[in-house]
Amino acid sequence: MTDDAIGAGTHQKLITLLTAQGARFRVMEHEAVGKCEAVSEIRGTDLRQGAKALVCKVKGNGVKKHVLAILAADLQADLSQLASHFGGLKASLASPAEVDTLTACVFGAIPPFSFHPDLALVADPLLFERFDEIAFNAGLLEKSVIMDTQDYLRIARPELVNFHKASS
């Protein structure tokens, strides 16, 4: 399956959901770039308002859980904080096969919404404190959504968890 076909269903689900929920958003088409810095420049948005989506596995202490962890694109994730939040011993990034199964997207194109029942959605609250809008890839590397922060919180309803690494 081509990368276009992989994310097309997720993109359509996302746009349908946002439209049905009356979200304030716009879709941008651009060159297919997977890196946060490059895509924020193309979008004309600040790197700090980019919503980076990480598919993680939390394990240990009898916990085995997949988590879609969202944080500002300028931050690094502290996976040990994520693991302890869910009562696990460790967290790691999911494999490409798991990402495909849980998101139907390629790395770099995952939107900050979970459409899979086995993928819990958490977000670091700092992302929502800086700007009135967040920006993210919308299932496809060449399509981004820029949307109202409050609409995102209302529609996606992520569990808010501090899991960014403290800046040194």
Side-chain angles (χ1 to χ4, degrees):
M1 207 186 293
T2 66
D3 287 356
D4 284 355
I6 290 171
T10 300
H11 177 75
Q12 200 48 58
K13 268 188 209 163
L14 175 66
I15 300 308
T16 301
L17 172 67
L18 296 181
T19 303
Q21 292 292 323
R24 291 162 287 182
F25 75 100
R26 58 195 180 280
V27 178
M28 282 186 75
E29 291 199 32
H30 51 75
E31 190 182 329
V33 187
K35 294 276 176 240
C36 298
E37 293 82 1
V39 80
S40 69
E41 201 170 302
I42 291 168
R43 288 183 196 131
T45 56
D46 192 297
L47 180 63
R48 297 172 303 156
Q49 71 188 117
K52 180 165 56 176
L54 305 172
V55 181
C56 303
K57 279 191 295 203
V58 177
K59 294 195 286 201
N61 271 352
V63 175
K64 195 170 183 210
K65 184 177 194 71
H66 283 98
V67 178
L68 182 59
I70 312 302
L71 78 161
D74 66 312
L75 300 175
Q76 295 283 311
D78 182 336
L79 296 181
S80 63
Q81 280 184 294
L82 209 53
S84 67
H85 174 77
F86 288 104
L89 296 175
K90 66 180 219 164
S92 60
L93 294 178
S95 71
E98 290 170 312
V99 170
D100 184 43
T101 300
L102 294 165
T103 69
C105 294
V106 297
F107 277 118
I110 303 163
F113 288 83
S114 176
F115 295 108
H116 195 289
D118 297 332
L119 189 61
L121 179 63
V122 300
D124 190 284
L126 188 56
L127 173 63
F128 312 111
E129 296 168 5
R130 297 159 152 180
F131 294 92
D132 293 335
E133 291 182 319
I134 61 170
F136 52 88
N137 278 33
L140 299 163
L141 288 173
E142 68 278 359
K143 292 199 191 225
S144 288
V145 164
I146 300 170
M147 80 176 286
D148 182 85
T149 299
Q150 294 308 313
D151 284 348
Y152 170 77
L153 290 167
R154 173 178 59 84
I155 297 164
R157 301 173 56 137
E159 181 181 356
L160 298 179
V161 178
N162 281 303
F163 69 94
H164 66 274
K165 284 185 181 171
S167 45
S168 41

